[in-house]
Amino acid sequence: MALPRSAFDQYMVPNYAPAAFVPVRGAGSRIWDQEGREYIDFAGGIAVNALGHCHPALVSALTEQAKQLWHVSNVYTNEPALALAQKLVDATFADKVFFCNSGAEANEAALKLARRAAIERFGEQKHKVLSTLNSFHGRTFFTVTVGGQPKYSDGFGPKPQGIAYFEYNNLDSLKALIDDDTACVIIEPIQGEGGVLPASREFLQGVRELCDKHNAFLIFDEVQTGMGRSGSLFAYQEYGVTPDILSSAKSLGGGFPIGAMLTTAEIAKHLVAGTHGTTYGGNPLACAVAGKVFDIVSDPAVLAGVKAKHQRYLAGLEVLNAETAVFAEVRGLGLLIGAVLRDEYAGRAKDILNLATEEGLMVLMAGPNVVRFAPSLVIDDTDIDEGLQRLGKALRRFVA
Ligand SMILES: *Cc1c(COP(=O)(O)O)cnc(C)c1O
């Protein structure tokens, strides 16, 4: 007998508050729950299911690898990891890749590498980490502290030191902090959890120049924006501003847990054998799936499709907003879209999410004032249209 939602409260740590229904099956951009109710998925497992649910090519990559080799640890390397690393290097600024299992771990590796390289080159004093307010970099104690949202990092005792925060899209705010003791600046090209807030090109260019001036490494956290989400393979390519270190996860595995840190050979050489590691990083199952995700997502036709679908969302949301006037602004790139509530509805994104669920549509929030869409990069246009119709029903009830 399948356990119901109430079993969550009985058996699981209460750090999550999952929805009232339990999904049991997915295909493409549709999900079915225990009652057989169907939902259209505009949430994409929080920007993870880049190819929707149970994409046949991923099912086949996973099952083929499952018959071959599951795990050997990093005492050995393995073919799927080597192949995936080569693909990432060939497609980006990077020369070297480190695999791990999540976004937080990719950022943890990026921050540790940046500090180590800075300290080895310039001395112990060069360890300052600069990050933007209201950013999100994961939940390890280092990354959650770097994230600059005290509500997530307070209450766990003494925090990692040497971290300071500047305002997103405000270069003067960074200028006031950065100096020759700065090891690195870490930034999301689009703040995801912080409200789907895109950086301006001038801001990222300015950050790059300030980092160069002070010999600080520039880390782009592309955990949410990477792997096609922006309409380019990585958002840095969309912006034309190249980081020194980049973190990827979420869409990278299309639903199988994997993270990666990418960097140049010059920087990578500071992580010599024994300085960092993880048991599962580069796991053959994860890398086999991610390799297939990469092949599909990096296809220029798929990336062009992301941009076309962005326009389809924008047009559809504009029609709904002309009728309901719920949103002040729709922002984001590619298939990472945030619809910002008008002031009179401030704090009520959760109400819209709940109404959408009732209408058979899964959406996300990005803070209390933004409804977020992060669907499959290959979502059918018919699913977009029908999902927007369901959203329309939810919005009409919301304003009624
Ligand atoms: C989700 C996210 C993370 C954390 O990834 P996990 O896999 O949950 O550890 C880090 N940075 C950004 C920008 C994210 O969106």
Side-chain angles (χ1 to χ4, degrees):
M1 250 289 283
L3 292 172
R5 165 67 177 79
S6 56
F8 179 90
D9 302 322
Q10 192 174 353
Y11 297 117
M12 292 175 74
V13 169
N15 64 318
Y16 302 118
F21 67 95
V22 180
V24 293
R25 187 167 68 83
S29 287
R30 306 264 169 162
I31 289 249
W32 290 267
D33 71 10
Q34 287 179 319
E35 263 73 65
R37 273 202 74 198
E38 177 237 78
Y39 303 81
I40 293 176
D41 186 5
F42 280 6
I46 317 189
V48 166
N49 296 296
L51 301 176
H53 299 275
C54 301
H55 190 290
L58 299 193
V59 171
S60 137
L62 179 61
T63 50
E64 283 312 306
Q65 186 59 40
K67 292 179 220 159
Q68 200 70 32
L69 186 71
W70 285 33
H71 179 78
V72 290
S73 89
N74 287 300
V75 175
Y76 313 91
T77 190
N78 68 79
E79 291 178 355
L82 295 171
L84 178 60
Q86 184 186 46
K87 288 172 193 190
L88 288 167
V89 164
D90 285 350
T92 65
F93 73 95
D95 311 308
K96 303 281 183 181
V97 180
F98 166 80
F99 290 122
C100 49
N101 316 289
S102 67
E105 284 173 83
N107 286 324
E108 184 85 19
L111 293 162
K112 283 180 71 180
L113 169 61
R115 272 197 171 170
R116 195 163 182 105
I119 286 169
E120 286 183 357
R121 287 182 188 182
F122 297 98
E124 273 297 327
Q125 78 294 342
K126 194 169 175 75
H127 64 254
K128 197 154 89 181
V129 175
L130 302 184
S131 167
T132 57
L133 291 163
N134 208 31
S135 61
F136 185 81
H137 300 296
R139 299 289 199 144
T140 66
F141 205 17
F142 195 5
T143 57
V144 84
T145 306
V146 167
Q149 300 194 54
K151 67 171 193 260
Y152 293 145
S153 56
D154 284 358
F156 299 101
K159 294 177 184 177
Q161 296 294 296
I163 305 163
Y165 308 95
F166 61 101
E167 270 177 42
Y168 200 73
N169 275 336
N170 180 343
L171 210 53
D172 289 335
S173 166
L174 174 59
K175 267 187 204 143
L177 288 178
I178 196 166
D179 60 21
D180 289 344
D181 291 343
T182 303
C184 64
V185 175
I186 181 167
I187 226 165
E188 298 164 85
I190 305 169
Q191 281 194 331
E193 302 304 309
V196 191
L197 182 61
S200 72
R201 190 181 305 264
E202 304 72 55
F203 175 64
L204 290 187
Q205 280 166 348
V207 173
R208 176 72 270 180
E209 282 162 23
L210 284 171
C211 285
D212 290 342
K213 187 170 161 214
H214 294 283
N215 285 314
F217 298 119
L218 176 57
I219 303 173
F220 276 179
D221 177 348
E222 292 231 30
V223 171
Q224 190 155 163
T225 57
M227 286 309 293
R229 183 85 18 214
S230 71
S232 290
L233 187 60
F234 287 97
Y236 86 84
Q237 296 161 324
E238 187 73 26
Y239 277 96
V241 177
T242 305
D244 302 297
I245 305 174
L246 179 149
S247 56
S248 176
K250 292 206 165 102
S251 291
L252 179 63
F256 202 100
I258 181 170
M261 178 197 68
L262 281 56
T263 189
T264 64
E266 267 305 297
I267 302 171
K269 70 182 184 201
H270 292 274
L271 276 193
V272 298
T275 49
H276 191 60
T278 157
T279 299
Y280 286 118
N283 171 279
L285 292 169
C287 291
V289 175
K292 184 53 76 176
V293 172
F294 183 96
D295 291 343
I296 296 174
V297 167
S298 61
D299 179 340
V302 170
L303 293 172
V306 170
K307 294 195 171 177
K309 291 174 200 302
H310 174 90
Q311 293 305 333
R312 199 172 191 94
Y313 268 97
L314 251 47
L317 288 168
E318 198 172 298
V319 170
L320 293 181
N321 209 35
E323 182 193 336
T324 59
V326 171
F327 303 120
E329 180 194 358
V330 177
R331 63 195 184 196
L333 287 178
L335 288 174
L336 180 56
I337 298 170
V340 186
L341 300 184
R342 277 179 39 198
D343 284 345
E344 59 185 296
Y345 299 122
R348 294 189 58 197
K350 181 81 186 189
D351 295 340
I352 294 178
L353 186 150
N354 289 338
L355 288 166
T357 304
E358 287 178 23
E359 298 298 338
L361 177 70
M362 298 157 84
V363 299
L364 298 166
M365 299 164 56
N369 302 325
V370 177
V371 179
R372 173 173 40 157
F373 310 105
S376 159
L377 305 183
V378 295
I379 184 171
D380 286 335
D381 287 345
T382 51
D383 288 337
I384 297 178
D385 296 347
E386 197 175 331
L388 287 171
Q389 278 173 25
R390 294 181 190 187
L391 181 67
K393 287 185 192 165
L395 293 179
R396 272 171 227 123
R397 285 172 61 200
F398 179 72
V399 295

